[in-house]
Amino acid sequence: MNKTRKLTYSAIIAALTTILSSFVYIPLGFAKIFPIQHFANVVSAVLLGPWYAVLQAFLTSTLRNLMGTGSIFAYPGSMIGAFLAAFLFAKTKKLAFAAVGEVIGTGLLGAMATYPIAILFLGQEAALFGFVPAFMMSSFAGSLLGYGLLKIMVRNRAFGGMLYHNAG
């Protein structure tokens, strides 16, 4: 797949993710989790590779912030998750590792990366691991959805050979 096509797919996924992120949520007790960004990270990690997955996450975070539907916390979480998902998939060629990479990248590392942002830029007091439960639940749900879709598409041969070709 050439660079123009990957860039176009990244932009399309970012646009769809921006729109759907405002509407699709899962009520979980007193909170809501928004899994669409994590779903998109897993799909773009597998289909487009690390750099385009990170680009998609950056574009989506920027669009959502410009529209007032996202927060500054989306940048580190989504970008670290997208990169780790794509990196692990590229190394193993296993869909499950893309999903696990997203959960660890966003749910743990990305959540921890938001700590300095909360303290330095927003002046909010936060515990170092205060963001981890929310990020973990959201990334787990989105990764599971992305993994499920990719498994169905692989089973139905919907990728036409492009799945593993783009992992690098």
Side-chain angles (χ1 to χ4, degrees), residues 6-165:
K6 283 186 174 187
L7 186 60
T8 303
Y9 284 153
S10 298
I12 291 169
I13 293 170
L16 287 170
T17 303
T18 300
I19 293 166
L20 293 174
S21 290
S22 298
F23 299 111
V24 178
Y25 63 88
I26 300 169
L28 192 64
F30 60 89
K32 295 178 187 174
I33 57 173
F34 295 86
I36 297 300
Q37 178 65 62
H38 314 291
F39 169 83
N41 284 355
V42 172
V43 171
S44 60
V46 170
L47 296 180
L48 303 173
W51 305 117
Y52 291 94
V54 171
L55 175 65
Q56 171 277 132
F58 177 79
L59 287 173
T60 302
S61 296
T62 301
L63 288 170
R64 291 188 66 216
N65 273 282
L66 289 173
M67 292 174 56
T69 61
S71 76
I72 195 165
F73 300 138
Y75 285 101
S78 65
M79 293 169 63
I80 293 169
F83 179 78
L84 191 56
F87 178 78
L88 290 178
F89 178 76
K91 293 296 180 194
T92 65
K93 305 292 190 240
K94 298 195 182 297
L95 297 175
F97 279 88
V100 168
E102 170 62 20
V103 173
I104 293 170
T106 298
L108 183 61
L109 301 175
M112 290 171 57
T114 61
Y115 176 74
I117 294 171
I119 299 297
L120 296 174
F121 297 115
L122 301 179
Q124 296 178 352
E125 287 297 321
L128 177 58
F129 293 100
F131 295 106
V132 172
F135 278 47
M136 193 68 78
M137 288 185 292
S138 186
S139 63
F140 180 76
S143 295
L144 193 60
L145 292 170
Y147 174 77
L149 175 68
L150 290 168
K151 285 297 278 187
I152 290 167
M153 292 179 81
V154 166
R155 185 179 307 127
N156 292 321
R157 297 186 178 108
F159 291 114
M162 74 180 217
L163 180 67
Y164 299 116
H165 173 71

